[in-house]
Structures are given as C-alpha cells and as structure tokens.
Amino acid sequence: MADGRRVVSFGGCNYLALANHPAVVRAVRDGLDRFGLSSTASRETTGNAAPHELLEHGLADFLRVERVLLVPDGYLANIAACQGLARSGLSCAIIDERGHPSLVDAARTAGLGVGTFAHADPRSLVRALDALRPGRVVVMTDGVFTADGEPAPIADLLEALGPADRLLVDDCHGLGVLGPAGRGSVPHAGVHDPRIVVTSSLAKGIGCAGGIVAGTETDIDHCRAASAYICTTPIAPAMAQGTRAALRVLIAEPARLDRLRDNTARVRAGLHNLTVLAKGNLWNTPIAAFTLGDLATMERTEKELLDAGYRVPLIRYPGGPAEAYFRLSVNAEHTDTQINGFLRAFRAILAHRPTTVTARVRQEVADGLA
Ligand SMILES: Cc1ncc(COP(=O)(O)O)c(C=O)c1O
C-alpha cells in the first residue's frame, strides 16, 4: 500500500514471498496459541523451546552443515560468530570493504583486529593476509551484497585462506535464493569446506525472523559460548515454528524458486533493454541497484512510478552505487502482468527524460558492462 492505494512493490527482501505464505502465517498462529508471544528468557536459562531446536536441526539438514545456532537476528548472528571465532583463537578479521556494516561491528565487538580488502578482490585479500601472518584470520564477506545484489567470489576468496583461517559468509541475501534448492551462496559457488562459517538473517528470503550461524560442530560450540547468544532472548517459539514451515515450503515447492529466477531474469533483461541497469545484468540475484541522473530526477521518477502503480524504492543505505539509489527487488509471486506493466510504465517515464540523463545512463551501462 502507498497513500492508501494498492501498488505493486519491487522493494524489500521478501524474495520468495514466504513472509505472506498462508502455511507460514498459519504455523505462527498455531504457535502463538501454544507457546504465547515470547519465551521471555535466554535459551540457556528457561527460554529454550522445542521449535528452536527443531529449527536448528532442520536448517542444519537443509544447509548440509554439522550444526546451526539460532540467535535473535542476522546482526547478532555476525556478532555471535565473531565472538565464537575469537574464543577459538582467531585474532583478526579482514572484511570486504563493501561488506555489510554489521560485519565490522561484529568483529569489533568480539575484540578482533579489523582490516579490509578491496571489494571482491582476492589479490587484495592475499596481500592483507600476508601482512597478518602468523595470525589466524577470519575473512568476512556478504554472500550477495545487500545494496546491489552482486555475488561474492567465494571460491576465489577461499583459495586465499590458510588452513587455520575461516571464511565467514553473511548470506542474508543468498539464503533461499542462490544455489541448489536455495541453499545459498556457498553451494552456489560450488564449494564445501569446514573453514566456512555461514551467517544469515531468517527475516529476508525465509520471510520470518531470527538469525543463524552455521558451520562445523567445533566452531558452533564456540559460538554457543558467545554472549550474543547466551545473553539474548531468542525469537518467539511461534516464530521458530513459522520459520520451520517456511523451510518446508521452500523444499516442497521448488517451482517457487524457479519462478523467482525466471522473474529475476526477465526484470534484469527488461532493465537492461531500458539501459537502466548499469551493472550486474548478468548476476542471477533478485536485487538491482541503479541511479538515474540527479537526486531531483530520481525523486521525480520514484513518484511517477508510484503514480503508475509501482513501488521501486529510492533508498539511502551503505554499499550502493551512490548516496541515494534505486534498489529494486524481484519476488517469486510477481506475475507476468505485473512485470510487463512495470517495464512498460518505466519505459514511458524514461521516454520523457531529457536526453542528457538518458545519454549518461547509457554511458554508465556501457561502462558497467565493459
Ligand atoms: C548483509 C546483512 N547482514 C546482516 C543484516 C542484519 O540482519 P537482521 O535484520 O536479521 O538483524 C542485514 C539486514 O538487515 C543484511 O542485509
């Protein structure tokens, strides 16, 4: 809804449309009747309930990892992971310079030394690692970059690691979206390695709430001693029950993921034809970021799209191509009519743009594809 009007939204992170799935909503409702609104205490005291543990086991099976630890959200998942890794003797974090801000916060909170490497650049990572030897390091990256949907070069980053290092992949935007059955960025990259720790929010592709740290039994045991886990109240058991239902839907309805991928390809191709998408039209992630001239032009475009019935949010969020930019996201329940209607409306709006703006966008497209 926008100003009391129904519009088609191309915003947010509900990629698989699981946040509104009837079976998921029903499972939460049932859970509320059974468990109430909150478990009211840390899981390590009296706040643990069966749905929390069942969810951890279900996610470990799905992700094909030894253990999953459930924490209240994705931000705390990064903190719990870093606190756990610090306990296991890692001393430093090297973070992709465009990584989510929670990665830096997490490393600092855990008392790790913090360095960065150039965005998605394994050679820069190698140099940064060399400077820190003989220390053991956790390399941290988004699996899919929040702002513009770029997938991280996970296999190449892994190559740079020493035997006792770790690669932490924050897969908030890859879980449910990339890889076979939506298992995420790591299987999408075709790697499986005990040095990888995956963190994620469950509030995006999975559509519910909570966060996870996934990895080997040893690493997750260390994370279980983290204050970000011990000293926090978990998601409501009802929400854990809903999240289990979301996972069941994801597994039982592979057509949902196929549809997301089809929709993604069609919207990306459409934006490319409109010469709007400067970079990343080859990425298969449902996020597209772009700018269109100056801020006033973008604000006008956002309003015109809204008037035509389509919400494409102009946002300010770290890591995008400019301070303010459009972050368009596709979901599995966008229909052909909605996608075609949006692309038609966008074409009509762009047709009235001054040529200087469209010429500049074309140049950006050319640069982005170079
Ligand atoms: C890459 C990334 N990491 C971590 C978070 C934090 O997750 P949560 O909102 O569940 O705390 C977000 C978004 O909110 C994110 O995009």
Side-chain angles (χ1 to χ4, degrees):
M1 299 284 278
D3 298 333
R5 243 173 4 109
R6 284 185 82 79
V7 295
V8 179
S9 176
F10 286 90
C13 308
N14 188 17
Y15 309 119
L16 291 148
L18 289 172
N20 338 68
H21 194 287
V24 178
V25 174
R26 208 166 38 242
V28 176
R29 267 206 205 105
D30 292 348
L32 288 174
D33 288 340
R34 202 156 151 224
F35 298 99
L37 288 175
S38 167
S39 61
T40 75
S42 161
R43 291 181 65 202
E44 291 298 305
T45 58
T46 54
N48 190 44
H52 297 129
E53 291 189 11
L54 291 169
L55 177 58
E56 286 177 333
H57 292 140
L59 282 164
D61 282 349
F62 177 67
L63 296 172
R64 301 185 177 166
V65 293
E66 287 175 12
R67 287 278 187 281
V68 163
L69 183 69
L70 179 66
V71 294
D73 61 34
Y75 203 98
L76 281 162
N78 287 331
I79 297 179
C82 285
Q83 288 181 330
L85 293 174
R87 291 180 74 85
S88 76
L90 273 75
S91 52
C92 267
I94 303 185
I95 306 172
D96 184 292
E97 66 189 357
R98 272 189 44 213
H100 192 263
S102 61
L103 296 177
V104 177
D105 292 351
R108 290 212 174 107
T109 304
L112 296 171
V114 177
T116 55
F117 63 97
H119 173 57
D121 182 349
R123 278 176 305 186
S124 163
L125 174 60
V126 168
R127 285 192 297 275
L129 283 167
D130 285 348
L132 288 169
R133 296 303 181 207
R136 290 177 59 210
V137 177
V138 52
V139 174
M140 294 163 80
T141 181
D142 295 27
V144 171
F145 286 83
T146 315
D148 64 3
E150 179 178 3
I154 290 176
D156 295 336
L157 298 179
L158 194 60
E159 291 246 312
L161 252 57
D165 295 332
R166 294 289 182 276
L167 175 63
L168 186 155
V169 178
D170 175 337
D171 215 15
C172 281
H173 302 274
L175 178 64
V177 170
L178 285 186
R183 287 197 182 89
S185 298
V186 173
H188 174 71
V191 293
H192 184 76
D193 192 297
R195 294 170 299 171
I196 297 177
V197 176
V198 172
T199 59
S200 183
S201 173
L202 299 172
K204 299 179 189 295
I206 304 299
C208 294
I212 53 165
V213 189
T216 62
E217 190 168 349
T218 313
D219 281 344
I220 300 304
D221 274 352
H222 284 298
C223 296
R224 212 172 276 283
S227 62
Y229 164 72
I230 293 180
C231 305
T232 53
T233 307
I235 57 169
M239 190 54 83
Q241 198 155 290
T243 313
R244 291 182 63 218
L247 193 59
R248 280 196 296 273
V249 173
L250 182 63
I251 294 165
E253 295 181 16
R256 181 169 288 274
L257 184 53
D258 292 343
R259 179 78 197 168
L260 173 64
R261 289 173 178 170
D262 285 353
N263 284 353
T264 295
R266 294 188 32 244
V267 171
R268 283 188 172 285
L271 293 175
H272 182 57
N273 287 340
L274 294 177
T275 68
V276 161
L277 197 55
K279 254 184 165 180
N281 62 312
L282 301 175
W283 302 335
N284 54 353
T285 54
I287 306 163
F290 54 89
T291 55
L292 277 179
D294 60 17
L295 182 60
T297 306
M298 292 202 286
E299 285 172 346
R300 190 151 49 91
T301 307
E302 184 184 37
K303 182 170 181 318
E304 286 169 339
L305 278 167
L306 208 52
D307 289 345
Y310 303 96
R311 179 159 193 269
V312 182
L314 179 61
I315 65 165
R316 289 169 177 77
Y317 194 87
E323 195 194 330
Y325 57 96
F326 287 99
R327 181 187 186 276
L328 177 150
S329 59
V330 183
N331 80 50
E333 290 190 358
H334 282 137
T335 63
D336 292 353
T337 309
Q338 290 172 334
I339 290 173
N340 294 338
F342 157 65
L343 291 171
R344 247 193 328 270
F346 204 6
R347 179 180 295 279
I349 289 165
L350 292 173
H352 295 107
R353 286 281 166 271
T355 47
T356 47
V357 171
T358 38
R360 197 161 85 218
V361 170
R362 272 202 193 95
Q363 188 53 50
E364 283 172 10
V365 171
D367 291 347
L369 293 175

